Amino acid sequence: MEVQSSTAGAPLEPLSPTNFPGLFDSVDAFLFDCDGVIWKGDKLIDGVAQTLDLLRSKGKKLVFVTNNSTKSRREYAKKFDSLGISVSEDEIFSSSFAAAMYLKVNDFPQDKKVYVIGGEGIIDELQLAGYTGLGGPEDSKKTAEWKSNCLFEHDKSVGAVVVGLDPFINYYKLQYGTLCIRENPGCLFIATNRDAVGHMTDLQEWPGAGCMVAAICGSTEREPIVVGKPSTFMMEFLLKKFQIDCSRMCMVGDRLDTDILFGQNAGCKTLLVLSGVTTLSALQGPANDIRPDYYTNKVSDFINLLGA
Amino acid sequence: MLSRGVISCSAQSQKLFSVVPRSSAAARVPPPPSSPHPPPSSSRFASVAWRRSSSFCSSGDPKSKSRSRRMETLKARASAQPLQDADDLINSVETFIFDCDGVIWKGDSLIDGVPETLDMLRSKGKRLVFVTNNSTKSRKQYGKKFETLGLNVNEEEIFASSFAAAAYLKSIDFPKDKKVYVIGEDGILKELELAGIQYLGGPEDGGKKIELKPGFYMEHDEDVGAVVVGFDRYFNYYKVQYGTLCIRENPGCLFIATNRDAVTHLTDAQEWAGGGSMVGAISGSTQREPVVVGKPSTFMMDYLANKFGIQKSQICMVGDRLDTDILFGQNGGCKTLLVLSGVTSLSMLQGPDNKIQPDFYTNKISDFLSLKAATV
């Protein structure tokens, strides 16, 4: 599949009262990224709740596709609920879910274990899929010993290492994951995603999973299988659930090299919002080759555009 | 078995299961205004900012082997020869550069026959230099380690990547009013101090915690003009964020790596995740490639050739790692000898995946004492 965006050179179109009705009528499902689109850290972005309500009232399907693997789909549904938005678990496709599903569809043996460098979300989804996850948040307090006769042990039955966002990253986890990948024959190296930075809090950007994944790439000299955006792996599950043609979907995200590329790779329409990691100058800058179909400031712009 | 990078697709969903590799370099958001600033042409040490694998930030195309892409640009070399006549090699050079881990010692244990070998070389008038990518100690601390192991080695003969980082900053006239943020261990701090460079971070930041909650904001010192990243057993998210903020937000901030070794022999019993891991992490969050001062970059080679007035063709580089030690020697135009007493086995050297061929290979350096030409 082509990696380079095929839209390079196309003009950038801001969403406006002229083009919005056409887009709206041609889309049956809106796919939303979460961090930087719906919320920033634990704070809802202005006008999001009203916008989602409006879209539902107009009969549009809503789907949430997030690369943030720290929570399971269930936990994300709870987060939406705590922010006053009603979203069901099966409308959410997190990269934690994607990692577990990747193993399932590829018949990962039940007697093999998975070492997790990441959050509870991955551990939960693995468990739901019937797998045994080791590591995760539990290994955040562990340290290694460097004495002459001390061997750093690792479970030889680990058949896959899943790496995602881990704010509790430490040397112990790096070493454990490294040994599994380098020494257990056939051990898979799976990345939930490779986002460089993200809005883990409302006030600033923080290193994303791209950091932890690159750390393991550095010690194993291997490239991972990426299950989150821009990989279209998750799209298979979306299609099964919603049975809507990709051409009648619109991916709404704040990041060009994950959200927009995901949408383009899957054959959806794409809308970039400037409420997250991408600024207008970054979008328009000479180094950027990825052109979304449209861009706008934030999701709640829909309200004005629909009213017009 | 799913081999590295290859995605197994289930037949019925072939179209959507092809896991799309990361976007190409061109598709990345533009880097912050601060690009790495190359050494001024007046610098005596025109170091090669040696690009290791470009796979960290570029397309993770499952079919490409980033290492072999890089290797294509090196001239094809004949296969490594087993060392048969040690005297021949010894007589053909004036200086021996030795790597340390896996060549001189393993962890804290000396490798057999090392003291006698070094003595023999000195008695033949050879200059000995020790170049290690291990940045946990300063030259002075390494001097003590050599002493503890009963080896007669002068601090001035030791070049650790911790020293290289400080020397590099000096060579580019790093401003006195700027600071360095360190993701690494004591060795780097000590060398920066000796060079009169202000620093922040280091092992101390290993105890710092962050709380990703509303209203939490991490400040960073805007006077940081360089982030130096090396092997760090106290690695944590605080340091990653601090280093990332400096590189992304402080105009002109340099990103320097002491080395990018994937694994290292911290203990003699097994391999441990190396500096390549920490450097990879910062590369991943900043989407920038560092200036590498340790092997295989020739920075240290240029430095010591200049310091001792040595001709590089008169040097033999002895190491246990192909993609750092041997490449370092080859990049510098030296003779190269691989020893099998460290991380590289004979099957790895001779395997189809390996494109790096040293001039010679042998089991360990004490073979210098035993390998003589048949006619002698």
Side-chain angles (χ1 to χ4, degrees):
Chain A
M1 191 155 252
E2 264 237 293
V3 171
Q4 193 94 11
S5 169
S6 53
T7 56
L12 285 168
E13 218 177 313
L15 213 55
S16 69
T18 325
N19 57 30
F20 188 71
L23 171 67
F24 195 77
D25 292 339
S26 69
V27 169
D28 296 331
F30 282 94
L31 275 53
F32 291 100
D33 173 39
C34 296
D35 293 315
V37 181
I38 303 295
W39 54 56
K40 262 181 175 179
D42 291 322
K43 257 175 125 178
L44 207 54
I45 290 174
D46 286 339
V48 161
Q50 301 89 308
T51 312
L52 299 183
D53 280 343
L54 182 57
L55 289 172
R56 283 209 204 272
S57 73
K58 300 277 184 187
K60 302 298 176 190
K61 289 270 188 286
L62 305 183
V63 183
F64 301 88
V65 184
T66 176
N67 268 359
N68 190 320
S69 56
T70 55
K71 294 196 198 319
S72 61
R73 306 165 92 190
R74 189 168 292 175
E75 290 298 314
Y76 270 118
K78 284 195 189 135
K79 178 169 178 173
F80 272 104
D81 195 53
S82 72
L83 292 168
I85 302 175
S86 175
V87 171
S88 97
E89 205 178 299
D90 54 7
E91 291 176 315
I92 303 168
F93 296 84
S94 57
S95 63
S96 42
F97 171 71
M101 287 303 101
Y102 180 85
L103 294 172
K104 207 156 177 190
V105 300
N106 286 289
D107 298 316
F108 185 74
Q110 296 270 338
D111 62 340
K112 290 270 188 198
K113 302 197 187 97
V114 183
Y115 186 73
V116 177
I117 296 176
E120 207 62 51
I122 304 175
I123 299 271
D124 288 347
E125 291 290 354
L126 286 172
Q127 199 167 61
L128 280 166
Y131 296 117
T132 312
L134 303 176
E138 230 176 66
D139 280 8
S140 304
K141 300 268 186 307
K142 294 196 181 155
T143 54
E145 296 245 18
W146 296 281
K147 299 202 206 51
S148 258
N149 294 324
C150 273
L151 202 65
F152 187 105
E153 302 276 10
H154 74 282
D155 193 322
K156 308 282 193 290
S157 69
V158 166
V161 175
V162 174
V163 185
L165 172 62
D166 191 353
F168 303 102
I169 187 68
N170 62 16
Y171 189 79
Y172 181 96
K173 298 178 187 192
L174 291 178
Q175 173 65 351
Y176 203 107
T178 299
L179 287 180
C180 289
I181 291 168
R182 289 177 72 104
E183 300 188 8
N184 293 2
C187 187
L188 302 176
F189 171 19
I190 295 166
T192 56
N193 63 299
R194 292 190 85 161
D195 299 31
V197 292
H199 275 99
M200 312 322 166
T201 62
D202 50 327
L203 295 178
Q204 70 190 138
E205 288 173 347
W206 292 80
C211 163
M212 292 88 210
V213 172
I216 298 297
C217 286
S219 59
T220 62
E221 295 174 293
R222 271 181 57 179
E223 285 294 297
I225 294 160
V226 182
V227 295
K229 300 172 280 183
S231 154
T232 48
F233 178 74
M234 283 195 275
M235 189 55 85
E236 154 98 359
F237 298 89
L238 252 100
L239 290 177
K240 225 180 231 158
K241 164 100 187 117
F242 295 105
Q243 268 124 40
I244 296 173
D245 201 82
C246 294
S247 60
R248 295 208 47 98
M249 292 185 183
C250 180
M251 177 73 211
V252 184
D254 69 318
R255 194 190 299 269
L256 293 160
D257 66 354
T258 52
D259 304 321
I260 304 306
L261 210 46
F262 170 77
Q264 287 176 349
N265 289 338
C268 309
K269 295 180 176 49
T270 54
L271 166 64
L272 178 82
V273 288
L274 303 173
S275 49
V277 301
T278 309
T279 59
L280 187 59
S281 54
L283 171 64
Q284 293 171 330
N288 175 39
D289 243 14
I290 302 174
R291 300 288 208 260
D293 294 316
Y294 307 98
Y295 69 91
T296 196
N297 284 322
K298 51 196 198 303
V299 155
S300 60
D301 290 349
F302 281 15
I303 298 175
N304 295 331
L305 290 165
L306 269 173
Chain B
M1 176 186 129
L2 289 170
S3 60
R4 81 165 90 158
V6 171
I7 293 82
S8 143
C9 301
S10 81
Q12 66 269 33
S13 43
Q14 194 78 18
K15 178 166 80 100
L16 295 167
F17 264 45
S18 51
V19 177
V20 175
R22 283 189 78 236
S23 59
S24 68
R28 259 182 288 128
V29 292
S34 51
S35 327
H37 125 148
S41 51
S42 57
S43 165
R44 284 175 299 153
F45 310 116
S47 61
V48 172
W50 185 256
R51 295 186 132 246
R52 201 168 173 272
S53 162
S54 58
S55 64
F56 296 99
C57 293
S58 67
S59 164
D61 176 7
K63 297 211 169 66
S64 79
K65 284 186 178 185
S66 52
R67 177 170 283 142
S68 62
R69 260 208 306 276
R70 190 185 46 156
M71 291 305 116
E72 275 155 31
T73 62
L74 301 182
K75 48 178 207 252
R77 286 174 189 266
S79 295
Q81 295 301 302
L83 187 67
Q84 281 164 336
D85 185 351
D87 282 344
D88 209 31
L89 174 62
I90 294 169
N91 293 336
S92 73
V93 293
E94 280 177 5
T95 302
F96 280 89
I97 301 180
F98 291 102
D99 172 40
C100 299
D101 293 314
V103 181
I104 304 294
W105 55 60
K106 248 186 165 172
D108 289 322
S109 315
L110 204 53
I111 289 173
D112 286 339
V114 162
E116 300 88 332
T117 311
L118 299 185
D119 284 342
M120 181 273 285
L121 291 170
R122 284 205 203 274
S123 73
K124 292 200 168 195
K126 305 299 165 188
R127 180 189 300 282
L128 305 184
V129 178
F130 301 85
V131 175
T132 175
N133 267 359
N134 192 320
S135 57
T136 57
K137 298 196 204 309
S138 62
R139 304 167 96 186
K140 187 170 260 171
Q141 288 168 319
Y142 271 115
K144 293 227 168 62
K145 179 166 180 170
F146 274 101
E147 205 183 293
T148 313
L149 292 169
L151 296 172
N152 179 20
V153 171
N154 195 311
E155 190 185 308
E156 295 286 306
E157 296 174 313
I158 305 166
F159 295 84
S161 62
S162 39
F163 172 77
Y168 176 78
L169 288 168
K170 260 175 116 168
S171 76
I172 57 165
D173 296 318
F174 188 70
K176 286 286 176 199
D177 59 340
K178 288 283 187 192
K179 297 174 193 144
V180 175
Y181 184 72
V182 178
I183 296 175
E185 299 193 18
D186 205 41
I188 303 174
L189 305 184
K190 289 219 155 37
E191 293 292 0
L192 288 172
E193 204 172 294
L194 276 168
I197 298 171
Q198 299 178 72
Y199 62 82
L200 307 170
E204 210 176 81
D205 281 8
K208 295 200 175 148
K209 304 260 183 283
I210 45 95
E211 279 200 70
L212 294 176
K213 57 179 193 214
F216 183 83
Y217 188 82
M218 185 194 272
E219 302 276 7
H220 73 282
D221 192 322
E222 281 158 19
D223 289 333
V224 167
V227 176
V228 171
V229 186
F231 178 67
D232 189 354
R233 286 170 284 189
Y234 313 104
F235 193 67
N236 65 12
Y237 197 61
Y238 178 96
K239 297 182 187 196
V240 178
Q241 171 65 335
Y242 203 103
T244 301
L245 285 173
C246 290
I247 290 168
R248 285 171 66 103
E249 300 188 10
N250 292 1
C253 186
L254 303 174
F255 171 19
I256 295 166
T258 56
N259 66 298
R260 293 191 89 160
D261 297 28
V263 289
T264 184
H265 268 264
L266 265 188
T267 63
D268 46 1
Q270 69 186 135
E271 292 180 336
W272 294 80
S277 195
M278 292 87 213
V279 175
I282 302 299
S283 219
S285 60
T286 61
Q287 295 181 306
R288 271 180 55 179
E289 289 286 290
V291 169
V292 182
V293 294
K295 300 174 280 186
S297 152
T298 51
F299 177 75
M300 284 198 279
M301 177 78 75
D302 295 338
Y303 185 93
L304 61 94
N306 188 70
K307 179 172 170 59
F308 293 126
I310 318 170
Q311 271 200 319
K312 291 178 195 167
S313 55
Q314 286 290 318
I315 301 174
C316 179
M317 173 68 206
V318 185
D320 70 317
R321 202 193 287 269
L322 294 161
D323 64 352
T324 51
D325 303 322
I326 303 306
L327 212 45
F328 174 70
Q330 289 178 345
N331 289 342
C334 314
K335 292 187 174 57
T336 52
L337 168 65
L338 177 79
V339 286
L340 303 174
S341 48
V343 302
T344 309
S345 63
L346 187 60
S347 53
M348 281 159 76
L349 171 65
Q350 295 175 331
D353 276 356
N354 175 40
K355 302 278 191 295
I356 305 173
Q357 294 297 329
D359 294 315
F360 303 102
Y361 69 90
T362 197
N363 285 322
K364 49 198 201 302
I365 67 169
S366 58
D367 291 350
F368 278 0
L369 300 167
S370 52
L371 289 172
K372 301 281 179 199
T375 52
V376 171

